Amino acid sequence: MRENNLLGLMIVLAPLSLASVGGATAIYAPLQHEAVELRQWVTPQEFLNYFTIMRFMPGPSSMLGALIGWKLEGFWGVLVATLSLYVPSSLVCYGVARSWSHFAGKPWHTAMQRGLMPVAAGLICAGVLNLFLLSGGSLAYAGMIVSVAAVLMWKQKLHPTPLLITGALIFETLYQLNLL
Amino acid sequence: MQSKSSPVSLFEIYTCFFWIGLLSFGGGLMPWIQREVVTRRNWLSNEEFLPGMAMSQVLPGVNSTNVAVYVGQHLRGAIGSAIALSGILTGPIIMVVFAAFSYQYVLGVPAIQAAAAGVAAAAMGMMLCTAISAVQACGLKLAPICVMIATFIMIGILHMSLITVVAIMTPISVFLSWPKSTQEHSTQVHSTQVHKADSDA
């Protein structure tokens, strides 16, 4: 039974590793279909709970698969699920990164590099806007975003962790004062 | 570009990505990685990091693990990639096990949700900081600014799919930044190296 579950995790998650193009959310629908309906590893309510937990967890949200692994086989389930989720896509990325640095210094490489930079910059800017709108676009968020960015621009070498903890404390205070 | 006098140790790579993985609440890890790897440690320049970031978003897999693999490869090759990947995943694995034990108690406590929202808001601030430094790295020239704005509008306002936008904008942007002559190319490479030397100092 145990081997079956671990093998099943691998069979379900490894293809999803390569299917998660454009963010981990792309795999939620197929994962739900496999884990809830076809294999009945978790109930619909459990899947929904896992989804909520992942919003409060560090790391990629596709670690949801690891929670399913935990429910099935404990620690080994987590390990097999994590490896299945990230090793296949990492191998592809490694291949691309390797050939990319192999050609460093060629004229087309420089052009590609310079061409990709503004695309990346535009993506990050759009990411800030979308996350802000997703959070409800409140004044508290806007104030926090701008002040944290200002502090980080001003102190280039500052470790961000104290700022994140300060952010948690400020929002906690606002919540206790019924201002959030 | 890998002409560092002393290579970054595998232990440093692991520790760096371990903390990024463990502490990066509230979604996007990209600003963390950019800040730790480019701004604070000078392992890569923005010129080297940003293309990797763009590629990581289009390749299959999660952006953050892809960038970890990219940075690890750049610093120490295959073993660097493996170390960076395991570093960035160690923290989340620990947290998932912890969450599996305790989530019934933790979820639904509004005070905890407020604190988590505070972390998320601060993390967005960090993302804004990364956005500003990425825009600065592109320089004040017409072509990159137009590409930046077009990408921003297509993703952020028109909500087009990421793959489509990158597939449209990358060829245009690469065409616009193609070196006009070999001489210009050599000055560009030279300026990158000068930048690198500055950041090493």
Side-chain angles (χ1 to χ4, degrees):
Chain A
M1 190 59 199
R2 172 174 185 156
E3 281 73 20
N4 283 349
N5 276 338
L6 292 179
L7 194 67
L9 280 169
M10 240 185 272
I11 292 171
V12 169
L13 296 176
L16 290 181
S17 172
L18 295 173
S20 54
V21 176
T25 40
I27 73 162
Y28 278 160
L31 181 58
Q32 185 181 14
H33 182 66
E34 285 276 355
V36 179
E37 283 146 37
L38 290 184
R39 293 170 192 260
Q40 298 180 343
W41 283 335
V42 292
T43 65
Q45 184 57 47
E46 279 175 316
F47 192 87
L48 201 66
N49 286 345
Y50 292 172
F51 176 79
T52 318
I53 298 170
M54 291 324 294
R55 289 190 45 228
F56 299 102
M57 284 286 123
S61 47
S62 49
M63 283 296 282
L64 178 82
L67 273 176
I68 298 175
W70 173 265
K71 199 215 158 185
L72 290 177
E73 294 297 341
F75 177 74
W76 292 109
V78 171
L79 203 66
V80 167
T82 310
L83 292 177
S84 313
L85 275 169
Y86 303 111
V87 169
S89 60
S90 294
L91 287 175
V92 172
C93 181
Y94 173 76
V96 172
R98 198 190 141 105
S99 38
W100 176 253
S101 53
H102 178 75
F103 290 111
K106 303 249 190 248
W108 63 265
H109 185 279
T110 310
M112 283 283 286
Q113 179 160 309
R114 299 194 157 257
L116 279 168
M117 279 173 63
V119 177
L123 290 178
I124 305 179
C125 294
V128 178
L129 177 72
N130 281 350
L131 271 179
F132 175 63
L133 295 178
L134 205 65
S135 70
S138 72
L139 201 63
Y141 269 90
M144 179 72 74
I145 293 171
V146 172
S147 17
V148 168
V151 172
L152 288 174
M153 291 301 293
W154 172 51
K155 289 271 180 212
Q156 293 279 315
K157 301 282 169 192
L158 182 71
H159 200 283
T161 313
L163 282 178
L164 295 192
I165 295 170
T166 314
L169 292 177
I170 291 176
F171 267 45
E172 190 61 43
T173 316
L174 290 176
Y175 171 76
Q176 300 292 349
L177 297 173
N178 275 324
L179 292 170
L180 196 65
Chain B
M1 294 281 173
Q2 286 165 314
S3 54
K4 294 255 164 168
S5 48
S6 59
V8 179
S9 82
L10 294 176
F11 180 72
E12 281 178 283
I13 298 177
Y14 184 84
T15 328
C16 171
F17 281 99
F18 172 77
W19 286 112
I20 293 173
L22 185 65
L23 295 172
S24 52
F25 289 87
L29 284 83
M30 215 56 84
W32 272 87
I33 303 178
Q34 190 267 353
R35 187 162 183 86
E36 292 295 323
V37 170
V38 180
T39 315
R40 294 187 70 228
R41 289 169 217 253
N42 289 322
W43 286 349
L44 276 75
S45 64
N46 262 324
E47 284 79 2
E48 290 160 331
F49 179 80
L50 289 174
M53 200 209 97
M55 285 190 267
S56 301
Q57 307 222 338
V58 204
L59 290 174
V62 179
N63 303 342
S64 52
T65 57
N66 278 348
V67 167
V69 167
Y70 176 85
V71 172
Q73 197 281 331
H74 192 95
L75 295 173
R76 294 293 300 269
I79 183 77
S81 288
I83 292 290
L85 178 68
S86 40
I88 205 170
L89 287 175
T90 308
I93 288 177
I94 296 171
M95 294 300 285
V96 157
V97 172
F98 170 75
F101 277 119
S102 59
Y103 77 90
Q104 286 99 333
Y105 315 104
V106 173
L107 282 185
V109 180
I112 292 179
Q113 292 182 2
V119 174
M124 286 179 216
M126 187 155 56
M127 199 163 169
L128 178 61
C129 175
T130 299
I132 295 169
S133 82
V135 170
Q136 282 174 341
C138 296
L140 274 175
K141 279 194 205 151
L142 186 64
I145 290 176
C146 291
V147 170
M148 241 178 322
I149 294 175
T151 309
F152 173 77
I153 291 176
M154 284 195 266
I155 296 274
I157 295 169
L158 302 177
H159 298 290
M160 291 167 63
S161 93
L162 183 93
I163 302 295
T164 317
V165 174
V166 174
I168 296 172
M169 292 316 294
T170 305
I172 297 176
S173 181
V174 169
F175 174 76
L176 290 174
S177 51
W178 203 268
K180 308 276 182 301
S181 66
T182 37
Q183 194 176 2
E184 188 188 338
H185 165 64
S186 63
T187 46
Q188 278 172 354
V189 167
H190 179 66
S191 71
T192 317
Q193 281 163 350
V194 168
H195 178 91
K196 190 104 178 115
D198 284 344
S199 59
D200 283 348

